[in-house]
Amino acid sequence: MLVSTVRYAAPETRKFARIFSASIGSEYVARGKKTVEGLVALSRKKGERVLALASAHEISFISVSVSNWEWKNESIGIISYVGEGIDSEIESISGPDAAKLISLFGWAGCGGEIEIKAGNGIMEFISEEGKKVLELRYEIRKFAGAEAHERQD
C-alpha cells in the first residue's frame, strides 16, 4: 500500500500519514501537486494494489489495478491517535475488525514485526517486544459505491 495525503493537508495530517505508513510497512509519498491520477500511476509503477489518502479525520482507500482504479466503499474515520509509531511491517491483524482492515489495506500476509489488534473502535499497533507503539481510535465508515476510472496514459 502506498500512503499519501489529500491536497493542502495540514502539517499534523502529513505527520500522521508518515507515522501510519511507517507502522504498517508502507511507503509514504509527499502529495505536493500530484493529482489522484498521478498518485495512482505511481502506485502502479511501484506495484501497489492500494493507495491510502489521509485527511485530518479520515483515511480513504483506492483500489488500483493495471487497467483502472476506484475508491473503496469504506474508509477509516480517525477520532484520535496516540504514539509515534515504529518503522516496521505488519505481522498479523486480529480482532473483530480484522477482515475489514485486511481488505482495506490490501494486506497479503507477509511476515513482519507489528501486530495490529482492532476492535471496539481501537486499533493497537504492538511491537515484537510487546510495546504499544501506536493507538488509533477509529470507526469504519461506509459510503455509496464508487465508479471505476479507466487508466489514463
Side-chain angles (χ1 to χ4, degrees):
M1 176 168 54
L2 190 67
V3 178
S4 192
T5 62
V6 296
R7 291 290 288 270
Y8 310 112
E12 299 82 28
T13 302
R14 291 191 298 272
K15 178 182 177 185
F16 168 73
R18 284 191 298 273
I19 289 169
F20 176 74
S21 65
S23 295
I24 61 172
S26 292
E27 182 179 352
Y28 169 78
V29 175
R31 176 73 182 256
K33 294 183 179 183
K34 294 177 193 75
T35 62
V36 170
E37 285 285 346
L39 290 169
V40 165
L42 185 58
S43 296
R44 277 192 193 106
K45 183 178 178 181
K46 293 180 174 285
E48 299 292 349
R49 299 181 340 222
V50 176
L51 169 62
L53 295 178
S55 67
H57 303 290
E58 187 169 48
I59 303 171
S60 299
F61 299 89
I62 296 174
S63 179
V64 178
S65 72
V66 172
S67 59
N68 63 18
W69 63 271
E70 65 183 326
W71 293 95
K72 293 190 176 197
N73 65 354
E74 292 182 317
S75 65
I76 298 175
I78 305 300
I79 298 165
S80 66
Y81 78 94
V82 176
E84 293 299 316
I86 185 173
D87 193 7
S88 187
E89 292 191 19
I90 300 171
E91 175 185 322
S92 65
I93 301 175
S94 63
D97 290 337
K100 286 184 184 194
L101 294 176
I102 288 167
S103 173
L104 286 174
F105 293 176
W107 184 61
C110 302
E113 304 83 31
I114 288 290
E115 177 185 359
I116 299 176
K117 295 180 180 178
N120 300 319
I122 299 174
M123 196 182 312
E124 296 177 323
F125 294 69
I126 312 294
S127 70
E128 279 184 311
E129 297 80 29
K131 179 182 175 195
K132 187 187 324 180
V133 295
L134 180 63
E135 178 180 289
L136 282 176
R137 295 197 178 274
Y138 71 99
E139 61 186 7
I140 302 288
R141 298 178 179 163
K142 285 187 166 284
F143 49 91
E147 61 186 58
H149 299 267
E150 296 299 317
R151 188 171 182 162
Q152 306 286 318
D153 19 72

